[in-house]
Amino acid sequence: MTPQTAIVSNLLCDLDAAPALVRESAGGMLLRSLGLVASDPDFTASIRDGHTESLDDWTRRVLGREAA
């Protein structure tokens, strides 16, 4: 299992216990990061402006050498 898969799996396992507003927000972010739904214009602008990072970039930043 890759670090990315482990992170997404953990997030999805905990998602059903979260309040509805959190599920909708986090679920949407996960689906967009996996490329399963189209990005909304605000999210696309955030990527263009460098305010977001891919799951791979986040994993490298958080896990460092473990992700390599």
Side-chain angles (χ1 to χ4, degrees):
M1 179 180 288
T2 66
Q4 296 88 337
T5 305
I7 291 166
V8 171
S9 176
N10 192 8
L11 290 171
L12 290 174
C13 287
D14 292 340
L15 197 55
D16 64 340
L21 185 58
V22 172
R23 281 195 313 268
E24 182 178 324
S25 177
M29 286 186 281
L30 286 170
L31 291 173
R32 283 191 300 275
S33 70
L34 295 170
L36 299 176
V37 296
S39 298
D40 60 50
D42 292 334
F43 188 73
T44 302
S46 292
I47 292 171
R48 182 191 64 236
D49 296 338
H51 300 296
T52 59
E53 57 191 345
S54 71
L55 184 57
D56 289 336
D57 292 341
W58 181 88
T59 302
R60 279 190 291 277
R61 180 175 57 79
V62 172
L63 299 179
R65 294 185 188 273
E66 295 176 32

